[in-house]
Amino acid sequence: MKRKITLKQIARELDVSISTVSKALSGSKEISEDTTQKIQAFAKLYNYKPNNIALSLKNRKTKTIGILIPEIVHHFFSTVIRGIELVANRRGYNVIVGLSNESFTKEIINMEMLANGSIDGFILSISKETLLKQDYHHFNATINQGIPIVMFDRVVNEVDCDKVIVDDFNGSVKAVEKLLEKQCKSIALLTTMDYVSVGRLRTQGYIAALENNDIHADPDLILKINDGLDENHLEDLELEIEQFFKINPSIDGVFAVNELYAVTAMKVARKLGLSIPDDVQVIGFTDGVLSKHATPSLTTVSQHGQKIGEQAANLLIDRLGAEEAEEAEYTMSNERRSDFIKVVIETEIIERESTK
Amino acid sequence: MKRKITLKQIARELDVSISTVSKALSGSKEISEDTTQKIQAFAKLYNYKPNNIALSLKNRKTKTIGILIPEIVHHFFSTVIRGIELVANRRGYNVIVGLSNESFTKEIINMEMLANGSIDGFILSISKETLLKQDYHHFNATINQGIPIVMFDRVVNEVDCDKVIVDDFNGSVKAVEKLLEKQCKSIALLTTMDYVSVGRLRTQGYIAALENNDIHADPDLILKINDGLDENHLEDLELEIEQFFKINPSIDGVFAVNELYAVTAMKVARKLGLSIPDDVQVIGFTDGVLSKHATPSLTTVSQHGQKIGEQAANLLIDRLGAEEAEEAEYTMSNERRSDFIKVVIETEIIERESTK
DNA sequence: TTGTACGCGTTATCAC
DNA sequence: GTGATAACGCGTACAA
């Protein structure tokens, strides 16, 4: 077992100084062809590669991005990670992943852990508990430390940073209007509690779409599901939706704010002897595996998770580059830094078998 | 914006030496109560946290684990990551993720990138292209560099390291025997090409189970699907399976080596007017979202991805600890190091609606 | 009780 | 053309 070779070892071996080796390897013209050749050959032979940690310490930048998300076992989030990793890698960055598991405390611990030099910037989506508490001091603290943040999907006005969001509102409007277009008269909404911003926005879109078409949004047709902080109670979910269907037999269209609700609704409908899409048409938000492979396959509002990740990564890396440039110049007024970008990723309806 | 404070700044501010600060903060008894108090108060006020990078450089260990997987948008892999992150975090490690995207080259690039000091050890699952090429030099190279590897799921005998695998063979045996028990007479196998080790093992299990019950495995009932290196050709998959069903109308049981094949088989069967589970019973391997929410929900062989991740992380961190211990002692003979562990995670059949 | 010096691996500046 | 030195931030053995 030969440990990684260092400049010092090469220098000793070849009987030159460390700085000569460093220069030779970086192809500096200061060094003679002879020694350069010799050193480069030796380095290649022993597969020399500069130590990232040492470089990070010296350059005061790690070339790695910290991703902080509530949950990784979610199609949407893993799609986003893929997008981030893709452009990060292309632009010479690595990606370090922390999971908050929807917990406020774990979110903070993870942030602090990574903020102590391990990463140059964050890309994150806020945990449910944090949204509930509305306590965002840790985000502002790390930004004040000079570590830029890009938020995606679950974002919040209280933090000044770049953001990448899905057009939740318009996505919902499109979905509901699609159902209206397909002659649905009584459209139900399956949504989450309001503290999850995306849930709230999608609910607003639902209402707006109806009102645009002079339909009064009937509160009875809105089911706010409290999936709380733990997600594992499928039977409850099914039961709740079943009750909801029974109380509202008029329902001929369903818009669900995520694919799980949508698929469960289809299951329940079938159980109640309703055929899809003939008796009830269904559209879900978020395009994942479930939608694609359900029977019937589900018409959805696609979120383009990968694109979100790519945008977020580009935004962050651009900003990191800009900071570097700033430091080179005379330090400019802090005001200058407050022009943050909010990128909105358009949604798209993918029609499948659950609508006519 | 106040950048993170360092020992040096505290020292200058309080007019003491750097080492005094360092000692005071670590609670050394060498320093007087007075100064300790003063320094700790100041440090807390400015929220001092030691710089991870500097520590990494000094200690020659980063306290981070590199995860290298073919694809993150896969329920199984994200489950494994969750398991790894869980114990890594608990044991004071961070997790950095690289995606090979099933490519040999990307796998190597990622490895080299991370192996230059960024991580203490790897947990990885081999890319399809690498398995196809059977070129494992990069794994052995990094192991020789003193960076331990733990492989999971897609492992290979040619590399000496700890491994965590699913009991693919027995899982398949159990599944097929379950189908036999449920009176299936003509059980088909939907599998991958043999170069994916898990596909091969599962195929072997299928054959063994049949032979255990004195049934000759009919090659016609085995469909080897070449999903190659790109996974996006659903229509082809559906068509291929449909053909297969038409050629073999006797099929009354299906064992599929992954849930996508299983769900697609159900879809095709229904299209051909066959009812599930009455006409055809189906069992899939890999327990993911799809299985749980399909209609009918799918009976599966559960892989316990999270447990795999946890085991792998424990194995790696244990070994990292052991190495440290070794270095402290007189360097022991290299032979000593070759007792690698192979952990087998038992599978479990989860019965749902696709079997009677 | 406190401070000095050194090393982790690298690059950049400056001196020879 | 080459080498010594400082610096990035930290901990610690040793000196005062």
Side-chain angles (χ1 to χ4, degrees):
Chain A
M1 182 187 80
K2 39 176 184 186
R3 263 215 140 59
K4 287 231 60 129
I5 199 169
T6 69
L7 284 187
K8 190 198 277 190
Q9 295 170 42
I10 299 183
R12 197 181 327 136
E13 215 65 37
L14 261 46
D15 214 49
V16 288
S17 84
I18 296 180
S19 48
T20 304
V21 178
S22 175
K23 286 171 186 164
L25 289 178
S26 65
S28 162
K29 295 202 63 181
E30 293 181 24
I31 309 297
S32 75
E33 284 234 355
D34 270 11
T35 37
T36 301
Q37 287 290 333
K38 198 173 54 179
I39 291 175
Q40 288 190 344
F42 190 91
K44 179 169 287 175
L45 179 63
Y46 283 88
N47 190 32
Y48 170 79
K49 295 273 166 51
N51 180 309
N52 286 335
I53 297 293
L55 287 180
S56 296
L57 183 58
K58 178 133 200 48
N59 303 331
R60 277 120 135 266
K61 68 177 74 140
T62 59
K63 288 281 182 182
T64 99
I65 294 174
I67 302 182
L68 206 45
I69 53 174
E71 172 60 85
I72 197 167
V73 188
H74 254 49
H75 187 263
F76 172 66
F77 284 123
S78 41
T79 315
V80 175
I81 295 188
R82 191 214 257 149
I84 297 174
E85 209 264 355
L86 189 74
V87 341
N89 242 12
R90 196 192 309 142
R91 297 182 67 172
Y93 279 76
N94 274 123
V95 154
I96 184 164
V97 174
L99 308 179
S100 70
N101 198 25
E102 303 288 11
S103 143
F104 177 69
T105 319
K106 264 208 82 178
E107 188 172 272
I108 293 189
I109 293 180
N110 256 306
M111 276 211 98
E112 292 186 342
M113 191 140 180
L114 297 180
N116 296 321
S118 300
I119 52 100
D120 294 339
F122 281 107
I123 295 178
L124 62 85
S125 193
I126 308 177
S127 84
K128 280 187 194 164
E129 201 188 346
T130 306
L131 289 171
L132 202 52
K133 279 184 128 92
Q134 305 196 31
D135 181 346
Y136 311 119
H137 76 273
H138 49 305
F139 301 132
N140 288 315
T142 73
I143 291 173
N144 279 330
Q145 260 177 64
I147 301 178
I149 293 181
V150 176
M151 291 191 175
F152 71 89
D153 197 52
R154 303 199 200 151
V155 306
V156 108
N157 283 330
E158 286 86 340
V159 183
D160 258 344
C161 64
D162 292 327
K163 286 156 194 161
V164 183
I165 54 170
V166 187
D167 192 350
D168 289 293
F169 181 84
N170 278 319
S172 298
V173 170
K174 278 193 239 171
V176 173
E177 291 194 329
K178 175 69 72 179
L179 286 172
L180 289 169
E181 202 177 283
K182 307 248 179 197
Q183 310 304 328
C184 289
K185 300 299 174 204
S186 176
I187 301 176
L189 170 69
L190 304 183
T191 184
T192 61
M193 302 307 259
D194 277 343
Y195 68 85
V196 180
S197 57
V198 298
R200 191 177 56 243
L201 286 167
R202 290 172 195 169
T203 302
Q204 287 168 2
Y206 162 86
I207 295 173
L210 291 180
E211 287 178 350
N212 287 349
N213 289 272
D214 299 320
I215 302 175
H216 175 64
D218 179 356
D220 286 349
L221 288 180
I222 298 180
L223 178 60
K224 291 196 183 176
I225 295 162
N226 182 10
D227 63 355
L229 303 178
D230 59 313
E231 302 232 352
N232 299 323
H233 49 0
L234 282 178
E235 301 74 20
D236 296 1
L237 179 62
E238 215 169 308
L239 238 62
E240 203 171 342
I241 296 180
E242 192 174 334
Q243 285 302 324
F244 179 68
F245 266 81
K246 284 180 179 163
I247 299 174
N248 300 283
S250 68
I251 294 172
D252 61 357
V254 173
F255 172 53
V257 300
N258 61 48
E259 61 174 1
L260 179 56
Y261 293 176
V263 169
T264 308
M266 293 206 296
K267 188 162 214 164
V268 168
R270 204 160 323 124
K271 194 167 160 194
L272 297 176
L274 300 167
S275 133
I276 292 167
D278 292 328
D279 299 326
V280 181
Q281 301 188 60
V282 181
I283 297 186
F285 215 107
T286 307
D287 187 43
V289 258
L290 228 49
S291 311
K292 222 171 297 171
H293 302 293
T295 324
S297 59
L298 188 65
T299 297
T300 56
V301 182
S302 168
Q303 267 180 297
H304 300 293
Q306 175 155 351
K307 197 174 284 176
I308 293 179
E310 292 171 15
Q311 279 277 3
N314 277 321
L315 238 43
L316 181 62
I317 297 177
D318 286 349
R319 192 161 290 274
L320 290 172
E323 281 194 356
E324 199 173 351
E326 277 183 33
E327 278 165 26
E329 322 224 343
Y330 39 92
T331 321
M332 36 184 54
S333 73
N334 281 352
E335 316 332 313
R336 176 62 211 288
R337 210 171 278 114
S338 52
D339 37 337
F340 289 105
I341 300 171
K342 182 183 238 170
V343 175
V344 177
I345 305 284
E346 285 303 317
T347 55
E348 176 195 0
I349 294 203
I350 301 179
E351 292 196 52
R352 299 208 185 83
E353 302 162 357
S354 66
T355 49
K356 293 195 255 200
Chain B
M1 182 188 80
K2 38 175 186 188
R3 262 217 141 58
K4 287 230 60 124
I5 199 169
T6 68
L7 285 189
K8 192 198 280 190
Q9 295 170 40
I10 300 184
R12 197 179 328 133
E13 215 65 38
L14 262 45
D15 213 48
V16 288
S17 84
I18 296 179
S19 56
T20 304
V21 179
S22 174
K23 286 172 187 165
L25 289 178
S26 64
S28 162
K29 296 200 62 178
E30 293 181 23
I31 308 297
S32 74
E33 285 234 354
D34 270 13
T35 36
T36 302
Q37 287 290 332
K38 197 173 56 181
I39 291 175
Q40 287 190 345
F42 190 91
K44 180 169 286 177
L45 179 63
Y46 283 87
N47 190 30
Y48 170 80
K49 295 273 167 51
N51 179 308
N52 286 335
I53 296 294
L55 286 180
S56 296
L57 184 58
K58 179 138 199 45
N59 302 331
R60 276 117 138 271
K61 69 178 73 143
T62 59
K63 288 279 181 183
T64 100
I65 294 175
I67 302 182
L68 206 46
I69 53 174
E71 172 60 85
I72 197 168
V73 188
H74 255 49
H75 187 263
F76 173 65
F77 284 122
S78 41
T79 313
V80 175
I81 295 188
R82 191 215 258 151
I84 298 174
E85 210 265 352
L86 189 73
V87 340
N89 242 13
R90 196 192 308 144
R91 299 183 66 173
Y93 279 76
N94 275 123
V95 154
I96 183 164
V97 174
L99 307 179
S100 69
N101 199 24
E102 302 289 10
S103 143
F104 177 69
T105 319
K106 263 208 84 180
E107 187 171 271
I108 292 188
I109 292 179
N110 255 306
M111 276 211 98
E112 291 185 342
M113 191 140 180
L114 297 180
N116 296 322
S118 300
I119 52 99
D120 293 339
F122 281 107
I123 295 178
L124 61 85
S125 194
I126 309 177
S127 84
K128 280 188 193 164
E129 201 188 346
T130 306
L131 289 171
L132 201 52
K133 279 186 129 90
Q134 306 195 29
D135 182 347
Y136 311 117
H137 76 274
H138 50 306
F139 301 132
N140 289 314
T142 74
I143 291 174
N144 279 330
Q145 260 178 63
I147 300 177
I149 292 180
V150 176
M151 293 191 173
F152 71 90
D153 196 52
R154 302 197 199 152
V155 307
V156 108
N157 283 327
E158 285 87 338
V159 183
D160 259 345
C161 64
D162 292 327
K163 286 154 196 164
V164 182
I165 54 170
V166 188
D167 192 351
D168 290 294
F169 181 84
N170 278 317
S172 300
V173 171
K174 278 192 238 172
V176 173
E177 292 192 331
K178 175 70 72 181
L179 288 172
L180 289 170
E181 201 177 285
K182 308 248 180 198
Q183 310 304 329
C184 290
K185 301 298 174 204
S186 177
I187 301 175
L189 171 69
L190 303 183
T191 184
T192 61
M193 303 306 260
D194 278 343
Y195 67 86
V196 180
S197 57
V198 298
R200 192 177 56 243
L201 286 167
R202 292 173 194 169
T203 303
Q204 287 169 3
Y206 162 85
I207 295 173
L210 291 180
E211 288 180 349
N212 287 349
N213 289 272
D214 298 320
I215 301 174
H216 175 65
D218 180 356
D220 286 350
L221 289 179
I222 299 180
L223 177 60
K224 291 194 182 178
I225 295 161
N226 182 10
D227 64 354
L229 304 179
D230 59 311
E231 303 231 350
N232 299 326
H233 47 358
L234 283 179
E235 301 75 20
D236 296 1
L237 178 64
E238 217 168 307
L239 240 61
E240 205 172 340
I241 296 180
E242 192 173 336
Q243 285 302 323
F244 178 69
F245 266 80
K246 284 182 178 159
I247 298 173
N248 301 283
S250 68
I251 294 172
D252 60 356
V254 174
F255 172 54
V257 300
N258 61 49
E259 61 174 3
L260 179 55
Y261 292 177
V263 170
T264 310
M266 292 205 298
K267 187 162 217 166
V268 168
R270 203 162 321 126
K271 193 167 161 194
L272 297 177
L274 300 167
S275 133
I276 293 167
D278 293 329
D279 299 326
V280 182
Q281 301 189 59
V282 181
I283 297 186
F285 215 108
T286 306
D287 187 43
V289 257
L290 229 48
S291 311
K292 222 171 298 172
H293 303 293
T295 323
S297 57
L298 188 64
T299 296
T300 56
V301 182
S302 167
Q303 267 179 297
H304 300 292
Q306 176 155 349
K307 196 173 286 178
I308 294 179
E310 293 172 14
Q311 279 277 3
N314 277 321
L315 239 42
L316 181 61
I317 297 178
D318 286 349
R319 193 162 289 274
L320 290 172
E323 281 191 357
E324 198 173 350
E326 277 183 32
E327 279 166 26
E329 323 224 343
Y330 39 92
T331 321
M332 35 184 56
S333 73
N334 280 353
E335 317 331 314
R336 176 61 212 290
R337 208 170 282 114
S338 51
D339 37 335
F340 289 105
I341 300 172
K342 182 183 240 171
V343 175
V344 178
I345 306 284
E346 285 303 316
T347 55
E348 175 194 2
I349 294 202
I350 300 179
E351 292 195 52
R352 298 208 187 83
E353 303 163 355
S354 67
T355 49
K356 291 194 255 199

